[in-house]
Amino acid sequence: NAGVTQTPKFQVLKTGQSMTLQCAQDMNHEYMSWYRQDPGMGLRLIHYSVGAGITDQGEVPNGYNVSRSTTEDFPLRLLSAAPSQTSVYFCASSSRNRATDTQYFGPGTRLTVL
Amino acid sequence: AQSVAQPEDQVNVAEGNPLTVKCTYSVSGNPYLFWYVQYPNRGLQFLLKYITGDNLVKGSYGFEAEFNKSQTSFHLKKPSALVSDSALYFCAVRDDRGSTLGRLYFGRGTQLTVWP
């Protein structure tokens, strides 16, 4: 299994540009989520999905959209990038949305917005 | 609301010495606690978790964690540190109820440095 994969690894955008961060998992996990990591703040949940066709907001959803058309893929869209969205983004998945299930993380996408 | 606190931003220890990375938690339900490690420019790797049962949980790379309900703590430990253990460590709690079921709440992270 490749586990959780993310593309691209690095991206530089200009303010106002849009882009999609890709996330895929090959473990048939129902639960997928997006986090952003900022220095000294740990990881914060952006959006999550408990299965295909179902998404919901996390702690910091503003400026981001998601969709879940398949079990494997969970893309994160930035509609109009802002410098405040400069961060490292991690996608994660777990078998189900239970508190006992371990979430597994992708390698991350480092995004810079100028 | 669920939360975790990692009171130390940095921990420094000599190779071969025991190490402890501290974590305290606050939960409204059952405590489901996790430790992750992040090496430079890498994603988070799962180390271990406490669900129920023995208070001493063993994980990857020789790490273990001690769950203490009365002190609401879940400290990460290793008997003999290696230089290769140098990394950023995150404690997290996963929500077990309500509209926030399944969410992971992270501490701010502790940078562990092991010097030769």
Side-chain angles (χ1 to χ4, degrees):
Chain A
N1 287 348
V4 180
T5 57
Q6 292 182 238
T7 56
K9 291 187 177 179
F10 302 94
Q11 184 70 50
V12 179
L13 292 178
K14 294 181 180 179
T15 297
Q17 286 185 316
S18 63
M19 79 159 296
T20 299
L21 280 62
Q22 301 292 344
C23 174
Q25 51 88 13
D26 61 358
M27 298 173 282
N28 202 32
H29 283 173
E30 294 182 3
Y31 184 86
M32 296 186 73
S33 52
W34 277 102
Y35 295 85
R36 60 178 288 172
Q37 181 182 21
D38 301 294
M41 300 187 72
L43 280 77
R44 294 178 293 169
L45 181 65
I46 304 172
H47 285 286
Y48 66 98
S49 168
V50 299
I54 306 170
T55 64
D56 207 344
Q57 297 181 349
E59 301 172 68
V60 288
N62 292 341
Y64 307 95
N65 279 356
V66 292
S67 60
R68 183 97 179 269
S69 56
T70 67
T71 299
E72 295 78 19
D73 301 299
F74 190 45
L76 178 72
R77 296 184 186 85
L78 283 70
L79 300 178
S80 179
S84 61
Q85 294 178 305
T86 293
S87 187
V88 182
Y89 292 85
F90 290 102
C91 180
S93 73
S94 65
S95 56
R96 292 183 62 182
N97 187 27
R98 295 175 303 192
T100 53
D101 292 325
T102 301
Q103 288 194 33
Y104 296 95
F105 285 78
T109 294
R110 186 174 296 272
L111 176 67
T112 301
V113 183
L114 302 175
Chain B
Q2 325 292 37
S3 66
V4 294
Q6 294 179 243
E8 301 160 317
D9 291 335
Q10 285 204 315
V11 170
N12 299 309
V13 64
E15 188 173 34
N17 284 0
L19 70 86
T20 299
V21 182
K22 296 180 180 177
C23 172
T24 59
Y25 66 89
S26 173
V27 299
S28 53
N30 295 309
Y32 299 111
L33 298 156
F34 298 77
W35 275 103
Y36 287 86
V37 60
Q38 184 180 31
Y39 298 101
N41 300 314
R42 303 286 295 275
L44 275 71
Q45 296 181 28
F46 168 71
L47 277 179
L48 51 80
K49 65 181 177 182
Y50 173 82
I51 303 300
T52 187
D54 287 341
N55 290 340
L56 187 63
V57 180
K58 294 189 181 297
S60 307
Y61 312 121
F63 283 93
E64 56 191 26
E66 186 172 9
F67 173 72
N68 187 316
K69 188 173 183 178
S70 63
Q71 297 186 3
T72 62
S73 65
F74 189 55
H75 300 332
L76 182 69
K77 300 182 178 184
K78 188 173 183 182
S80 179
L82 299 172
V83 172
S84 57
D85 293 330
S86 299
L88 186 58
Y89 290 81
F90 288 100
C91 182
V93 61
R94 195 161 187 190
D95 212 327
D96 73 333
R97 60 188 57 196
S99 61
T100 52
L101 171 66
R103 288 193 192 180
L104 261 180
Y105 295 89
F106 285 87
R108 290 168 46 172
T110 298
Q111 180 66 48
L112 172 68
T113 301
V114 182
W115 73 81

